[in-house]
Amino acid sequence: MGRVINPDSNGKQRNQLLRTIAEVLRRLGQKPEFDDDAKDMVACLVFALRDIDVGIEESAQAWEKRDYWMKADELRNRWSWAGRMADQLQAIVFGDKWADLPPLMIKLFPYVSDINVTKMTRKEDTWMGSYGRLIREKPPTV
């Protein structure tokens, strides 16, 4: 019996998410002012990075099921930046500390610098409403 190939594998989804991150970073860098659209873009980055982190964990667990423990650990180590970046961006959004965003964008850029963005393929609806969705996750303050 042949092997089943998943056309929407974690690797393919990860590449699409990295492309989204690269395009959103480029658009954020081109914005003359920080507005509500920029907040949506930052929240979109949080969601994309979280999705990458979840996909990495799923892939690592699949390797572990095959007893490839070292490969799973190496995968987690190589991609641990995604979860950390998501948490740091989320802290900026929840803390309303937008002045802290540029240094974090500079840290994030090297992870997508090999993606050649000659044409923007992501539409505004990719990030529209992301800020509101993320803010709804914010735990209430006591």
Side-chain angles (χ1 to χ4, degrees), residues 85-102:
M85 289 285 187
D87 291 345
Q88 291 172 13
L89 283 169
Q90 180 177 296
I92 287 172
V93 173
F94 285 175
D96 203 26
K97 297 180 179 180
W98 300 107
D100 295 344
L101 182 61

Side-chain angles (χ1 to χ4, degrees), residues 78-142:
R78 187 168 18 122
W79 288 91
S80 63
W81 62 269
R84 283 193 314 271
M85 289 285 187
D87 291 345
Q88 291 172 13
L89 283 169
Q90 180 177 296
I92 287 172
V93 173
F94 285 175
D96 203 26
K97 297 180 179 180
W98 300 107
D100 295 344
L101 182 61
L104 196 55
M105 285 176 55
I106 290 169
K107 283 185 189 176
L108 182 56
F109 183 74
Y111 295 107
V112 295
S113 63
D114 59 336
I115 298 172
N116 190 11
V117 180
T118 56
K119 180 180 177 187
M120 297 292 186
T121 58
R122 304 305 190 258
K123 306 289 185 227
E124 288 182 8
D125 63 352
T126 302
W127 57 83
M128 283 178 40
S130 293
Y131 177 75
R133 198 170 99 209
L134 184 60
I135 287 299
R136 284 191 293 277
E137 293 181 6
K138 184 177 180 180
T141 55
V142 180

